[in-house]
Amino acid sequence: NAGVTQTPKFRILKIGQSMTLQCTQDMNHNYMYWYRQDPGMGLKLIYYSVGAGITDKGEVPNGYNVSRSTTEDFPLRLELAAPSQTSVYFCASSYGPQGGPEAFFGQGTRLTVV
Amino acid sequence: KQEVTQIPAALSVPEGENLVLNCSFTDSAIYNLQWFRQDPGKGLTSLLLIQSSQREQTSGRLNASLDKSSGRSTLYIAASQPGDSATYLCARMEGQNFVFGPGTRLSVLP
């Protein structure tokens, strides 16, 4: 089973460039999440979605955008990359608090902005 | 805003020891709690999920307990092995989202 798949695994961006981090899951989960992890810190929630067509901001949404046109896909968009966005990004999914709260994570995308 | 703390931040033990990792929350009105393992440069692997109605979960050499009254969860690892070396993260479910602790970095020495 593929689970949660993220692409790319690594990326270097120049300041001001834009890119989309891809995330897809094959478990038919309603809930999907984007987190960032900075060295020595816990994961911080960027955006989440409780179903297709529904997204909401997390703790650190500035500089990012998301969309959820299908149950499977939840891409994260960086419009104007800044050095502060250098981080490791993780996508996750679950059935949700009522349907089964266990979260499954992708392998991460390591992004460096120079 | 709820916070999750983990103690210790790092731990180094000889192989074969039993050990306890701690996770604490500022609000004891917890919903669900999940323990993860993260290997260097890798994603998070789910270890154990304790739902709000449960007090503990076990999987092999791992046992996680949840004490809502004190706002604490512990992860017990029995007979530690070098392959257990990793960072262990706890996360509590807050509403529809997970709030993570900073992790405990475990090294098990052969």
Side-chain angles (χ1 to χ4, degrees):
Chain A
N1 291 334
V4 180
T5 303
Q6 290 183 237
T7 57
K9 288 186 170 54
F10 304 93
R11 183 71 185 269
I12 297 175
L13 277 184
K14 294 184 177 178
I15 294 172
Q17 286 186 321
S18 62
M19 76 164 293
T20 299
L21 283 67
Q22 301 291 346
C23 175
T24 188
Q25 52 92 8
D26 62 359
M27 296 172 282
N28 202 32
H29 285 166
N30 290 324
Y31 284 62
M32 295 188 74
Y33 311 85
W34 275 105
Y35 290 89
R36 60 177 286 172
Q37 185 179 37
D38 299 311
M41 310 288 285
L43 280 75
K44 293 190 184 298
L45 183 67
I46 304 171
Y47 271 95
Y48 69 97
S49 168
V50 301
I54 305 169
T55 63
D56 210 345
K57 295 178 180 178
E59 183 181 359
V60 289
N62 291 344
Y64 307 95
N65 276 302
V66 294
S67 60
R68 185 95 182 270
S69 57
T70 67
T71 299
E72 296 78 17
D73 299 308
F74 190 41
L76 177 71
R77 178 88 177 157
L78 283 71
E79 290 294 349
L80 291 170
S84 61
Q85 293 178 305
T86 294
S87 189
V88 182
Y89 291 83
F90 289 101
C91 179
S93 71
S94 75
Y95 283 115
Q98 306 305 323
E102 186 175 9
F104 297 86
F105 279 75
Q107 291 299 296
T109 296
R110 187 173 296 273
L111 175 67
T112 302
V113 181
V114 298
Chain B
K1 179 181 179 303
Q2 305 307 319
E3 289 198 359
V4 179
T5 56
Q6 290 188 247
I7 295 173
L11 181 63
S12 185
V13 300
E15 181 177 5
E17 275 204 6
N18 302 323
L19 55 99
V20 174
L21 307 180
N22 295 293
C23 176
S24 300
F25 342 96
T26 53
D27 181 359
S28 61
I30 190 171
Y31 294 97
N32 304 301
L33 187 129
Q34 193 166 354
W35 281 93
F36 296 87
R37 167 186 174 136
Q38 185 176 28
D39 293 288
K42 303 290 186 182
L44 280 68
T45 300
S46 177
L47 296 174
L48 290 165
L49 168 71
I50 309 176
Q51 300 204 43
S52 57
S53 59
Q54 299 171 326
R55 300 190 74 172
E56 66 177 338
Q57 284 286 334
T58 298
S59 175
R61 294 182 294 108
L62 305 180
N63 174 275
S65 64
L66 176 62
D67 183 346
K68 290 188 283 185
S69 63
S70 63
R72 280 185 165 184
S73 177
T74 59
L75 179 67
Y76 176 83
I77 302 177
S80 59
Q81 302 171 357
D84 294 330
S85 298
T87 297
Y88 291 80
L89 297 154
C90 67
R92 69 181 289 270
M93 177 151 255
E94 181 179 310
Q96 296 158 336
N97 311 310
F98 291 88
V99 178
F100 282 83
T104 293
R105 190 170 65 252
L106 173 66
S107 297
V108 181
L109 307 174

